Amino acid sequence: MNAATPHTFRTQVAIVGAGPAGLILSHLLADAGIESIVIDQRSREEIESTIRAGILEQGTVDLLTAIDPNTRVHTVGHRHDGIELRFQGEGHRIDFPGLVGRSVWLYPQHEVLKDMLALRLGAGQDLRFGVTATHVEGVDTDRPRVTATTADGEVLEIDADFVVGADGRPAPVVRPAVTGDSRSGYFREYPFAWFGILCEAPASADELIYSNSPNGFALVSQRSPEVQRMYFQCDPTATRMR
Ligand SMILES: Cc1cc2nc3c(=O)[nH]c(=O)nc-3n(C[C@H](O)[C@H](O)[C@H](O)COP(=O)(O)OP(=O)(O)OC[C@H]3O[C@@H](n4cnc5c(N)ncnc54)[C@H](O)[C@@H]3O)c2cc1C
């Protein structure tokens, strides 16, 4: 098989992106008896080792628990019952259970992805790594098609009843095909960014600290007992620190 002879597959739902959205959707669809093919341009190793989010809100934890009652969120993750907000150097603790009867969990996104990948592959999900969607056609018909290429240059065509763009940001292929514009929908870009620092160090606080100062916003957050994530506000166009 090579680029000249596309390999065509048929499924009910073609999902582009094996991030949290694509993987959880494939699970929910399978639960409802709907088959899907999930493709991701990254390797499994890359997906499982990229450190991004760290905090899961209660609704997400409830969903992950419904998917797998033995989810490691409850054994490896840490429940946080509050955060600290700092203004002018003074801290104010926000007590989540006391105020709304809910909590958040510190459980890194790549751990969620490890769990979901193992679960989906164990259930026989058609999940292909290193496969990049290059374009989508027929989105306004009942036979949309995703065209993709493998790392070896093989061309795949996936015909589906529905195509789902779970391809995240910043360069989605599916969303612009559906909307005609990658920036359409409910999208708001703020004129500042976060400079993130991942460091090997013990936690300097038990809970997250969100701090406001004349120099902008800063966040002390955690990832694990050994790895911490710090952020401060920066200019999104800045290429170096002054
Ligand atoms: C530093 C950082 C910290 C964050 N902290 C938090 C937090 O604490 N809590 C929180 O809730 N959220 C947090 N977020 C946001 C969270 O990570 C995202 O909301 C989440 O990853 C979105 O999931 P997704 O599945 O929609 O997209 P993604 O996770 O971006 O997954 C998209 C997938 O699509 C694949 N893909 C893209 N294009 C193609 C293509 N053409 N063909 C095939 N595959 C493709 C990508 O390889 C990727 O695996 C953070 C994000 C960052 C960057």
Side-chain angles (χ1 to χ4, degrees):
M1 192 69 56
N2 56 43
T5 55
H7 197 161
T8 303
F9 299 88
R10 169 99 189 104
T11 188
Q12 287 176 284
V13 183
I15 301 175
V16 179
L23 290 173
I24 289 177
L25 177 64
S26 76
H27 177 90
L28 298 176
L29 289 173
D31 236 18
I34 299 169
E35 65 160 34
S36 63
I37 295 177
V38 182
I39 62 169
D40 200 292
Q41 63 191 5
R42 297 189 292 166
S43 66
R44 180 174 183 179
E45 294 68 32
E46 202 181 336
I47 292 173
E48 291 187 337
S49 62
T50 304
I51 297 183
R52 289 180 68 176
I55 290 290
L56 300 178
E57 293 186 5
Q58 177 96 47
T60 305
V61 171
D62 291 347
L63 177 60
L64 293 175
T65 307
I67 289 173
D68 175 10
N70 298 317
T71 171
R72 295 186 306 140
V73 175
H74 298 294
T75 50
V76 177
H78 299 275
R79 196 183 78 214
H80 282 200
D81 287 337
I83 56 170
E84 184 174 312
L85 299 182
R86 275 188 179 237
F87 298 93
Q88 296 172 340
E90 194 183 332
H92 307 270
R93 183 167 186 273
I94 307 298
D95 170 12
F96 290 159
L99 288 166
V100 292
R102 294 164 82 81
S103 298
V104 299
W105 272 258
L106 181 69
Y107 187 63
Q109 178 168 324
H110 66 285
E111 298 293 340
V112 173
L113 294 176
K114 280 184 200 169
D115 297 345
M116 286 306 304
L117 287 170
L119 200 71
R120 296 310 305 136
L121 291 169
Q125 171 71 45
D126 187 336
L127 174 47
R128 296 157 192 247
F129 302 102
V131 176
T132 304
T134 51
H135 57 280
V136 182
E137 55 199 323
V139 288
D140 48 0
T141 72
D142 56 4
R143 283 295 288 271
R145 164 177 285 185
V146 177
T147 303
T149 53
T150 68
D152 300 332
E154 184 184 344
V155 177
L156 308 182
E157 293 173 340
I158 306 171
D159 292 337
D161 298 329
F162 296 94
V163 170
V164 174
D167 47 352
R169 291 192 68 219
V173 166
V174 180
R175 190 166 22 143
V178 174
T179 62
D181 177 0
S182 67
R183 296 172 67 93
S184 60
Y186 298 98
F187 183 83
R188 176 165 184 156
E189 190 150 7
Y190 290 91
F192 44 77
W194 294 12
F195 187 101
I197 302 166
L198 197 61
C199 57
E200 268 184 39
S204 50
D206 291 335
E207 295 173 341
L208 277 72
I209 301 174
Y210 295 80
S211 178
N212 175 279
S213 83
N215 295 323
F217 170 79
L219 169 63
V220 174
S221 87
Q222 306 84 21
R223 286 295 178 268
S224 71
E226 300 81 26
V227 177
Q228 316 308 323
R229 179 74 118 169
M230 313 291 175
Y231 296 97
F232 61 82
Q233 182 179 326
C234 65
D235 178 347
T237 61
T239 53
R240 59 186 187 145
M241 287 199 282
R242 272 173 284 175

